[in-house]
Amino acid sequence: MRDRLIFAGQLLFTLLVAAFLVVPALLSIMAGVTENYFRGISSGVTLQWVVQVWELYADSILLSFVIAFATLTLTLLVGVPAAYALHVRGGRLSRLIEEIITLPLAIPGLAIALALLLTYGGFGTFRRSWLFILAGHVVFTMPFMVRSVMAVFATIDIRTLDEGAASLGASPWRRFVDVIVPNARPGILAGALMVVTLSLGEFNLTWMLHTPLTKTLPVGLADAYASMRLEVASAYTLIFFIMIVPLLVAMQLLAEREPKS
């Protein structure tokens, strides 16, 4: 009886916390398909706000996904080999490099953006392009990829696997592709999930780096809430959910799937 009461209490607490987090999002989504938010759902249901948002911000939404997947590509190409090298080499120098790579975790996004502006802001073409935002996102998200992969390496004897493949005559490239990457798959997928999520939702750093022609989804959302009707801003939120939630669910399922032997 006591265990049932404890379970019921824990379940009730979990449901209350979930409701506290989910209800505001649901209300915002409902506002995006309501004729008049202040009159409620009785005013009628419409998709005109969603259409209006897509017409106004389609470029910003698509740019966000371009930057997110470009960020993921770069963090994979740089972060996975870096994690492998840091884990295999070891030593004081490797630990120092690891700390430098993960330093952005302790620095606010605004500070990273300011540093990039002070360093590269004078390069006009680069400053005005979306590549400038991409550079900031790579710096901001790289630690999550490196840490995720290194956490997997810490649970397996990657050095023995590497040496075994080398003793069989495999080249460094073959060892990395056929041995290291498959064993690092859980960490790579977990890192990819975090990188894409952070890149799509990052506001502070992006707000400092963007230009009127390089607005991303979070910046456009903030502009919509500040300068337009609440229904339009809520429709923007609805589009955000429609586009990002299936993507994140798919990536989560992929990360949880066991690799085939």
Side-chain angles (χ1 to χ4, degrees):
M1 183 64 180
R2 180 172 174 271
D3 291 341
R4 290 184 178 179
L5 290 176
I6 293 175
F7 174 77
Q10 292 173 336
L11 179 61
L12 178 61
F13 178 76
T14 302
L15 292 175
L16 289 174
V17 172
F20 180 80
L21 297 174
V22 172
V23 168
L26 293 178
L27 291 177
S28 180
I29 291 173
M30 287 180 60
V33 294
T34 303
E35 285 278 1
N36 189 312
Y37 172 75
F38 298 100
R39 289 173 53 196
I41 200 73
S42 61
S43 63
V45 177
T46 180
L47 292 177
Q48 63 173 318
W49 311 121
V50 176
V51 174
Q52 183 176 338
V53 166
W54 185 255
E55 291 175 348
L56 293 173
Y57 294 105
D59 292 341
S60 297
I61 295 171
L62 295 177
L63 178 61
S64 290
F65 281 87
V66 170
I67 292 176
F69 285 108
T71 301
L72 175 59
T73 301
L74 291 177
T75 53
L76 286 173
L77 292 176
V78 178
V80 177
Y84 168 62
L86 291 172
H87 180 79
V88 172
R89 295 296 179 181
R92 295 181 179 178
L93 181 60
S94 294
R95 286 195 292 271
L96 176 61
I97 295 174
E98 181 183 350
E99 293 301 323
I100 293 174
I101 291 176
T102 58
L103 189 61
L105 291 176
I107 301 176
L110 289 174
I112 297 175
L114 180 60
L116 290 172
L117 285 170
L118 292 175
T119 306
Y120 304 110
F123 297 89
T125 303
F126 180 51
R127 170 69 184 92
R128 291 188 295 270
S129 74
W130 62 270
L131 295 176
F132 196 51
I133 298 176
L134 174 62
H137 282 210
V138 170
V139 171
F140 183 71
T141 59
M142 184 67 72
F144 295 93
M145 179 62 73
V146 174
R147 285 289 191 180
S148 296
V149 176
M150 290 190 70
V152 173
F153 286 158
T155 64
I156 57 179
D157 192 354
I158 201 70
R159 291 186 182 181
T160 300
L161 293 173
D162 190 37
E163 291 172 359
S167 67
L168 295 174
S171 64
W173 172 251
R174 287 293 304 274
R175 299 200 303 269
F176 181 77
V177 173
D178 295 338
V179 178
I180 305 304
V181 171
N183 280 279
R185 180 175 176 269
I188 292 173
L189 292 174
L193 179 63
M194 287 189 287
V195 167
V196 172
T197 303
L198 290 170
S199 180
L200 286 173
E202 171 56 33
F203 172 76
N204 292 332
L205 184 147
T206 309
W207 181 77
M208 285 280 287
L209 299 181
H210 88 282
T211 69
L213 297 179
T214 57
K215 287 183 180 180
T216 62
L217 200 155
V219 176
L221 179 59
D223 288 347
Y225 271 105
S227 60
M228 294 189 176
R229 291 185 56 158
L230 182 61
E231 293 88 351
V232 175
S234 297
Y236 201 118
T237 304
L238 174 59
I239 291 178
F240 179 87
F241 276 109
I242 290 174
M243 299 191 71
I244 195 174
V245 170
L247 172 65
L248 298 183
V249 170
M251 293 185 67
Q252 184 68 38
L253 293 175
L254 184 63
E256 292 177 352
R257 184 181 301 170
E258 291 293 334
K260 295 181 180 179
S261 56

